[in-house]
Amino acid sequence: MYELIALKELSSNENGSTHEFEAIQSEGYLLATRKAGTLSGNHYHKGDSLAKNPESLVLVQGKVKLSVKSLETGDKEERVIESPIIIRIKPKVLHSLEALTDIIFLEFNSLDEHKADTYYPT
């Protein structure tokens, strides 16, 4: 339903850390911030857009609870995830992120791509 990909830590010291990850193709990018206690998503993608097949986002800062449910099998899972990490969500998976702390994440899609392939449960 989803995949977590660790970012390669290149260095870390008292000033902070530097991480590396492979390029993710996209027509655009969205940088989002959310306050602790807020919910994002609660939708799914059919995978019609390449940017949503799978959907990729980098949790840059913070901690979230990821909730997923396969629309095909009904399987469900919840998991607490801490930054920095890449989250990849497959098509036809209902998903939401609950910000457990203030968070920053980067989505690898334009707003138009997002709108064209985002559906809400009925």
Side-chain angles (χ1 to χ4, degrees):
M1 289 189 291
Y2 69 96
E3 178 183 13
L4 300 177
I5 302 167
L7 279 66
K8 180 181 176 184
E9 186 176 289
L10 299 177
S11 66
S12 179
N13 60 33
E14 64 278 356
N15 294 329
S17 61
T18 301
H19 294 81
E20 174 181 68
F21 60 95
E22 292 184 19
I24 299 171
Q25 296 296 322
S26 178
E27 290 183 20
Y29 307 94
L30 299 173
L31 176 67
T33 63
R34 299 291 185 267
K35 300 287 184 187
T38 60
L39 191 65
S40 297
N42 198 32
H43 60 239
Y44 64 95
H45 311 287
K46 292 183 179 178
D48 297 331
S49 165
L50 288 178
K52 298 296 185 181
N53 192 7
E55 177 178 29
S56 295
L57 65 88
V58 176
L59 181 60
V60 176
Q61 184 175 326
K63 182 168 41 171
V64 300
K65 179 169 70 174
L66 172 67
S67 298
V68 294
K69 178 183 177 184
S70 170
L71 298 178
E72 294 177 328
T73 66
D75 293 343
K76 296 180 185 180
E77 187 176 340
E78 288 188 342
R79 184 169 182 174
V80 173
I81 301 169
E82 293 191 48
S83 67
I85 197 158
I86 297 171
I87 303 170
R88 286 205 176 127
I89 302 168
K90 295 180 180 179
K92 299 179 184 170
V93 174
L94 182 63
H95 57 278
S96 63
L97 292 176
E98 179 185 347
L100 301 177
T101 64
D102 289 354
I103 62 171
I104 300 171
F105 62 93
L106 181 64
E107 282 194 37
F108 290 83
N109 54 258
S110 68
L111 186 57
D112 287 341
E113 288 174 304
H114 177 76
K115 289 178 180 179
D117 193 7
T118 297
Y119 303 89
Y120 296 89
T122 56

